[in-house]
Amino acid sequence: MHDSIATITLPGGLHVPTIGLGTWMMGEHKRHMPAEIDAVRHALDLGMTLIDTAEMYADGASETVVGKALKDRRGEAFVVSKVVPWNASFNGTIEACDRSLQRLGTDYLDLYLLHWRGEHPLDDTVAALETLKASGKIRSWGVSNFDTEDMEELFSVPDGKNCAVNQVLYNLSRRGIEYDLLPWCQERHIPIMAYSPIEQGRLLEHPELIHIAKAYQATPAQVALAFLLERDSVIPIPKTVNLNRLRENRDAVDLDITDEDLDRLDAAFPPPSRKVPLEML
Ligand SMILES: NC(=O)c1ccc[n+]([C@@H]2O[C@H](COP(=O)([O-])OP(=O)(O)OC[C@H]3O[C@@H](n4cnc5c(N)ncnc54)[C@H](OP(=O)(O)O)[C@@H]3O)[C@@H](O)[C@H]2O)c1
């Protein structure tokens, strides 16, 4: 019997599971869509109800996949989408959200993120996100790829403190945020959504990860995800369309890594000892 997946409360009061499903690369090929739709639905079955997509992924076709998967199950999911920076003017954000809603076949997003910083002033984007929230088209908003300085600037604009999440690159081989951004967000109760949590698969060949995983009869991916799940308010969003891997990723929630093995992971993947500028994929 599995433990159920714990939830994290976002600023603003919404609850999300501590692990979700990424959908980057879904929607790229028509012939893969049935399997992708199946994977999203299976994620719901497993309690990984947080589904992360973006207008940028496959030029909107990832949102279309998610929309088809959620056709009769919208209420079960916590849908996250993102506006690209070049659309993030006041009007552009509102129009981009409408297009995303149409592709997703829904009348609200649970969380809408600015994908990364661009040329439009943060005040305008935040004002648009607040307008979308007031109209019920989104239930909360956040940012992505924001480093500590960006977060500080965000907090200085009107309503900037209403940010619910910062989604950034975070995994064993990319621990830079532990120096400053992660504690900054934790102190303010802003969860970090960890993207590319298994480094798009590249982490899984690491000998120490393989060694530690064997001791738990687990897989390297599970240890990499469990490392993130050990942290306060960190939500990994691994992407897979493979149902066995999906179950595997979900079961990382049940894996407890001993302090001794966490020390081994620190030795193999050292935490930062100084500021590392935020990396992006
Ligand atoms: N905000 C941003 O700028 C940003 C940037 C990047 C990603 N993201 C989001 O974060 C999500 C996750 O990141 P990601 O897709 O870049 O990388 P990831 O989740 O670290 O890795 C995905 C890759 O690993 C494979 N995989 C998944 N689970 C596995 C397992 N248990 N064992 C072996 N291989 C496994 C997948 O292949 P299969 O599908 O074939 O299983 C896929 O090729 C994205 O999908 C997207 O939603 C956001």
Side-chain angles (χ1 to χ4, degrees):
M1 190 68 191
H2 293 303
D3 295 341
S4 60
I5 299 179
T7 57
I8 288 178
T9 307
L10 305 185
L14 298 177
H15 303 288
V16 294
T18 56
I19 187 166
L21 176 71
T23 67
W24 191 17
M25 308 305 284
M26 292 193 193
E28 295 279 353
H29 304 286
K30 265 218 164 86
R31 66 182 189 283
H32 294 158
M33 282 193 183
E36 292 163 353
I37 291 168
D38 227 32
V40 174
R41 291 175 74 86
H42 201 60
L44 298 183
D45 296 338
L46 294 172
M48 296 166 84
T49 51
L50 189 167
I51 312 294
D52 180 77
T53 182
E55 64 169 333
M56 192 185 79
Y57 301 161
D59 284 330
S62 163
E63 291 180 324
T64 305
V65 165
V66 174
K68 285 185 195 293
L70 300 184
K71 207 159 96 71
D72 51 342
R73 301 180 70 175
R74 173 65 186 93
E76 293 174 53
F78 186 96
V79 178
V80 185
S81 193
K82 313 183 193 81
V83 55
V84 286
W86 52 90
N87 283 340
S89 62
F90 183 88
N91 288 333
T93 302
I94 289 176
E95 287 160 14
C97 181
D98 282 337
R99 291 192 297 270
S100 287
L101 291 175
Q102 195 152 30
R103 285 189 291 264
L104 283 158
T106 182
D107 51 9
Y108 71 97
L109 296 173
D110 295 284
L111 176 64
Y112 198 34
L113 307 180
L114 172 59
H115 209 146
W116 65 93
R117 283 199 73 171
E119 75 264 28
H120 294 292
L122 279 180
D123 312 43
D124 292 353
T125 311
V126 170
L129 293 166
E130 286 290 325
T131 302
L132 286 168
K133 203 165 72 177
S135 69
K137 289 184 178 177
I138 66 173
R139 296 173 77 204
S140 62
W141 65 264
V143 292
S144 177
N145 297 298
F146 269 45
D147 207 343
T148 314
E149 276 186 5
D150 302 309
M151 291 305 290
E152 275 166 358
E153 199 179 322
L154 177 66
F155 265 48
S156 74
V157 310
D159 296 321
K161 291 192 176 77
N162 292 342
C163 173
V165 147
N166 186 9
Q167 184 180 116
V168 295
L169 176 60
Y170 183 33
N171 64 50
L172 272 170
S173 64
R174 313 268 196 168
R175 297 182 62 175
I177 70 163
E178 290 175 24
Y179 188 75
D180 57 345
L181 180 61
L182 180 59
W184 193 98
C185 288
Q186 285 171 333
E187 275 161 29
R188 289 156 186 83
H189 308 289
I190 298 178
I192 287 283
M193 222 172 251
Y195 76 67
S196 309
I198 57 169
E199 186 65 17
Q200 301 184 327
R202 292 182 290 276
L203 258 182
L204 308 180
E205 300 300 317
H206 194 287
E208 187 65 0
L209 203 53
I210 293 172
H211 179 73
I212 292 172
K214 272 196 185 133
Y216 292 88
Q217 295 181 311
T219 66
Q222 287 176 320
V223 174
L225 293 171
F227 162 82
L228 296 171
L229 289 161
E230 288 281 336
R231 279 147 218 257
D232 185 29
S233 295
V234 172
I235 307 163
I237 48 167
K239 173 263 173 186
T240 183
V241 291
N242 175 303
L243 300 192
N244 289 328
R245 289 173 174 172
L246 192 60
R247 281 188 284 274
E248 183 184 321
N249 294 348
R250 182 258 168 259
D251 287 349
V253 165
D254 302 330
L255 185 61
D256 285 321
I257 312 272
T258 62
D259 289 346
E260 206 179 25
D261 284 326
L262 287 174
D263 289 344
R264 288 200 178 105
L265 288 173
D266 280 348
F269 303 95
S273 53
R274 65 185 131 79
K275 168 72 187 165
V276 181
L278 182 63
E279 297 169 286
M280 266 180 85
L281 281 185

